[in-house]
Amino acid sequence: MFEKALNLFRVEDVRKKIVTTLILLLVYRVGFQIPIPGISQAGIFSVMAEMENNRGAGGAFGGLIGTFSALSAGGLLSFGIFSLGIMPYISSSIIFSILGKVVPAIEKMVKEGSQGQKRLNQWMRWGTVPICIIQAIFLIEGIILNPGFFGGGEPLVNAADYASFPGHYWIGFYIPAVIALTAGSIFLMWLGEQITEYGIGNGISLLIMAGILASLPGSVLQLFNPVGVTNPDEARTQGVLKFALLAALYLGVSLAVVYVTKGSRRVPIQYARMVRGRGVYGGQKHFMPLKVNQANVMPVIFAVSLLAFPGVLFSEGVVDWSYGRDLFNDVTGWVYTMVYVAMIFFFSFFWVQLMFQPAEMAKNMKEYGAFIPGIRPGKATADFLDRVLVRLTLACSFFLAAISVLPNVVSASMDIDQMTASFLGGTSILIVVAVALDLVDRLNAQLLMRNYDGFMKGASGGGR
């Protein structure tokens, strides 16, 4: 395998793409060191120390922050110009994907081919700007200017420093901070597009994976140096055992995620024969691969996002806040777990039924003269595809629920913080494995185009 990996650097074009990708990822990581204008450095150090003492705390809202940090490729609590990451662009993409299924004008534009997709991508870029501004305001108001969010420490912004400005910190801090966060997110969107065009792989996905993997070393080191221990030597010994067990679990979970991600149901399809003059066309047999994990990571994102709101509302005293707060902030409790699993099941079926419509698929097959052997075209084909999708979605829901609940179980049973355990499941491992598989397939395709052996044997093959 290592000999085949060296073939990547023997091909000049592939080598340039790899180097370009690495350079752009380095630029992305360097941008993390640029703080938001007006943020106090002493306040950042104080907040970081407070966060280190309370790793894994925060309940459902802390899980939401962790999920958004993983998806944003920026980290909401990094206090840099890349804090929003590419989450606004992802939000815009999700919004337009849903609108493309419910708004006829956008659906018609999507079906126009490459030109329609080009226009839709431009709309996504323009839609990213107002989302950036809204999320920047929420970040500043809800986290940066909220002294109680971190449980203490020095303030991140000292309003007295901007007393000489008209309107105090509005012109001196607030507006420049919103502009900086918006510009940073737009720059990351552009950076991801440059990686896609001139590098290897999908740029946006690679940025997200790089952001997730960048936080892995700190979480591993925390196993060997936990906070608040009385016997450091014993804690390090336990850290070695925990690390070995977590590594084995991570390997096993990764294999399971790869198996399900590559798995698909191959529906046989045959094209009708057509006679034109002396030639006979059609009649070929093909397969329609329906992936097991059609919904990917979207149900987990929706479930985590919605489960954060009850805890926040109860904490504000809208209902019996003391009981409700403890109930929904206990991510290892049975109530939170049951609601979490139920929402994953619901959103799995909702997303698959929204994005993959059997009636439309059957209509397209009928127009192109394709049919499933033994199934009549039209409604019978739509019903058959619907039954297949329901069964695949049910298996996908069980898989996503198990992957999402695993970090909570590991955190409670092994006495490790939620941040470290989150790498074993949820959005993190789904994204990392999916992006890694896509990257391997792209590298394999680059080598096969130039008559080299594949990077990994069977990397592009379909699952069972």
Side-chain angles (χ1 to χ4, degrees):
M1 187 185 70
F2 294 104
E3 178 65 23
K4 296 177 180 179
L6 292 177
N7 292 334
L8 295 172
F9 297 92
R10 295 191 178 104
V11 182
E12 183 179 1
D13 187 32
V14 178
R15 183 172 65 248
K16 287 182 179 179
K17 290 184 177 182
I18 294 176
V19 173
T20 301
T21 301
L22 294 177
I23 292 175
L24 294 178
L25 289 177
L26 178 62
V27 172
Y28 154 70
R29 293 305 303 172
V30 170
F32 270 86
Q33 310 305 319
I34 304 176
I36 300 173
I39 293 290
S40 170
Q41 295 293 327
I44 292 178
F45 294 141
S46 176
V47 167
M48 290 300 180
E50 189 70 23
M51 291 169 57
E52 189 65 28
N53 293 331
N54 297 279
R55 281 179 65 95
F61 188 71
L64 176 64
I65 294 295
T67 301
F68 278 8
S69 297
L71 291 173
S72 66
L76 293 177
L77 304 182
S78 62
F79 310 110
I81 61 174
F82 288 168
S83 293
L84 293 181
I86 57 174
M87 192 61 197
Y89 178 72
I90 295 176
S91 302
S92 179
S93 302
I94 294 174
I95 291 173
F96 279 98
S97 297
I98 296 176
L99 291 178
K101 297 297 181 179
V102 297
V103 178
I106 299 179
E107 184 179 7
K108 181 180 178 181
M109 183 178 62
V110 173
K111 294 180 179 179
E112 291 179 356
S114 59
Q115 291 298 324
Q117 189 63 42
K118 186 177 180 180
R119 288 175 56 196
L120 183 62
N121 291 338
Q122 188 64 28
W123 286 13
M124 290 180 185
R125 297 188 188 99
W126 286 110
T128 302
V129 177
I131 295 177
C132 283
I133 296 175
I134 294 173
Q135 292 187 2
I137 293 174
F138 273 103
L139 176 63
I140 294 172
E141 288 287 346
I143 297 180
I144 295 178
L145 297 180
N146 184 7
F149 182 84
F150 305 101
E154 298 185 19
L156 287 171
V157 179
N158 188 2
D161 296 339
Y162 306 99
S164 59
F165 288 87
H168 297 288
Y169 68 87
W170 281 98
I171 297 179
F173 167 73
Y174 205 101
I175 295 178
V178 171
I179 294 175
L181 288 170
T182 303
S185 184
I186 297 299
F187 176 78
L188 281 183
M189 180 185 68
W190 174 84
L191 197 67
E193 292 179 349
Q194 299 305 304
I195 294 176
T196 302
E197 184 174 357
Y198 300 106
I200 292 289
N202 184 286
I204 301 297
S205 301
L206 287 176
L207 291 178
I208 297 175
M209 185 178 72
I212 295 174
L213 296 180
S215 58
L216 182 59
S219 298
V220 173
L221 291 177
Q222 199 274 337
L223 288 174
F224 302 96
N225 297 285
V227 179
V229 297
T230 57
N231 191 343
D233 295 333
E234 182 180 355
R236 292 190 184 93
T237 303
Q238 294 180 356
V240 173
L241 297 177
K242 291 180 180 179
F243 174 76
L245 183 57
L246 286 176
L249 284 173
Y250 190 85
L251 179 60
V253 173
S254 298
L255 291 175
V257 173
V258 170
Y259 184 79
V260 175
T261 302
K262 302 291 288 186
S264 62
R265 166 71 185 275
R266 301 177 67 191
V267 179
I269 295 178
Q270 186 168 353
Y271 286 88
R273 291 187 177 183
M274 296 180 295
V275 179
R276 293 181 179 177
R278 296 183 179 180
V280 179
Y281 302 92
Q284 298 92 350
K285 294 182 179 179
H286 298 280
F287 291 94
M288 177 192 297
L290 297 178
K291 297 179 62 177
V292 175
N293 188 10
Q294 294 273 13
N296 206 347
V297 76
M298 298 308 301
V300 182
I301 297 174
F302 290 147
V304 172
S305 302
L306 291 182
L307 275 177
F309 289 104
V312 175
L313 293 177
F314 294 145
S315 299
E316 296 295 332
V318 178
V319 192
D320 184 10
W321 69 273
S322 59
Y323 180 75
R325 180 190 59 190
D326 297 338
L327 198 63
F328 280 91
N329 281 345
D330 183 14
V331 296
T332 60
W334 68 271
V335 174
Y336 180 91
T337 302
M338 294 299 293
V339 176
Y340 189 25
V341 171
M343 295 183 72
I344 289 177
F345 271 75
F346 171 77
F347 283 115
S348 295
F349 281 92
F350 169 78
W351 186 261
V352 171
Q353 291 296 324
L354 181 64
M355 293 297 158
F356 304 93
Q357 300 175 0
E360 183 178 353
M361 297 168 64
K363 179 181 177 181
N364 294 334
M365 291 174 57
K366 187 175 181 181
E367 290 179 353
Y368 287 99
F371 62 93
I372 300 175
I375 307 295
R376 293 178 61 87
K379 187 178 183 303
T381 300
D383 294 339
F384 174 79
L385 294 176
D386 184 66
R387 290 195 301 270
V388 173
L389 284 175
V390 167
R391 295 174 182 176
L392 291 177
T393 306
L394 184 62
C396 168
S397 302
F398 277 107
F399 167 72
L400 291 178
I403 289 295
S404 302
V405 173
L406 180 62
N408 299 337
V409 176
V410 172
S411 176
S413 59
M414 297 182 59
D415 192 23
I416 60 178
D417 62 85
Q418 190 72 19
M419 185 67 69
T420 303
S422 65
F423 289 98
L424 285 173
T427 56
S428 298
I429 194 168
L430 290 173
I431 293 173
V432 170
V433 171
V435 176
L437 289 175
D438 178 70
L439 183 62
V440 170
D441 287 343
R442 290 173 182 265
L443 292 173
N444 191 49
Q446 291 288 334
L447 291 179
L448 292 177
M449 286 171 55
R450 295 162 176 82
N451 298 324
Y452 280 92
D453 289 337
F455 176 60
M456 292 183 67
K457 185 177 181 180
S460 299
R464 295 180 59 182

